[in-house]
Amino acid sequence: MEAPHSEPQQASSDLDAVAEAHTSWLKSVLGLGALEAKLWVASSAQLLALMCGVIFLLLTTWLLIIASSAALAWSYGFSLVGILLTATLVTFLSSLVLLYLVKRTLKNMDFTRTLDAIIPTDED
């Protein structure tokens, strides 16, 4: 005959095993999320540093192009007000294009790979 306490001990050990398996799974899922976040932050910091250099060079180039165009237009007799208005309009339109590119880039920055690794969809 079995001891009367063996069945509750078996259920308790099964519950402990399930809890341990779920705890292990949760740790691995959180570890995956933390690893991807760490990689994302490191890559973002590097990208930010590189983009600061690129922005400085592009801004300097853009200002030189506008100044050269203004000087050329001035030498051909265009009015100063017309030159400044044209430069302002071109700069404003360029900022709208850059704003569109920023919004598109931010839209593409998501964590779908992590979500797909944790909870795969039926389509995969």
Side-chain angles (χ1 to χ4, degrees):
M1 284 185 105
E2 293 184 25
H5 298 295
S6 66
E7 187 173 317
Q9 287 177 347
Q10 178 67 26
S12 176
S13 66
D14 288 345
L15 186 60
D16 289 342
V18 169
E20 186 177 327
H22 279 85
T23 302
S24 174
W25 175 81
L26 185 60
K27 282 182 182 178
S28 66
V29 166
L30 291 176
L32 175 65
L35 179 63
E36 186 162 336
K38 183 186 278 188
L39 290 172
W40 191 81
V41 168
S43 296
S44 296
Q46 184 179 14
L47 180 64
L48 181 63
L50 291 172
M51 285 307 298
C52 285
V54 169
I55 288 170
F56 177 75
L57 292 175
L58 286 175
L59 182 61
T60 303
T61 304
W62 184 246
L63 290 174
L64 287 173
I65 289 171
I66 290 175
S68 299
S69 300
L72 185 65
W74 178 262
S75 71
Y76 280 108
F78 285 94
S79 72
L80 184 59
V81 173
I83 292 170
L84 291 176
L85 287 176
T86 303
T88 302
L89 180 65
V90 168
T91 304
F92 179 71
L93 291 175
S94 300
S95 68
L96 290 178
V97 170
L98 289 176
L99 183 62
Y100 167 75
L101 291 174
V102 166
K103 285 183 178 183
R104 191 180 76 184
T105 302
L106 287 174
K107 183 180 175 183
N108 290 333
M109 291 175 67
D110 58 4
F111 291 100
T112 56
R113 290 178 302 204
T114 303
L115 185 60
D116 289 341
I118 295 170
I119 306 169
T121 60
D122 293 336
E123 297 168 1
D124 292 341

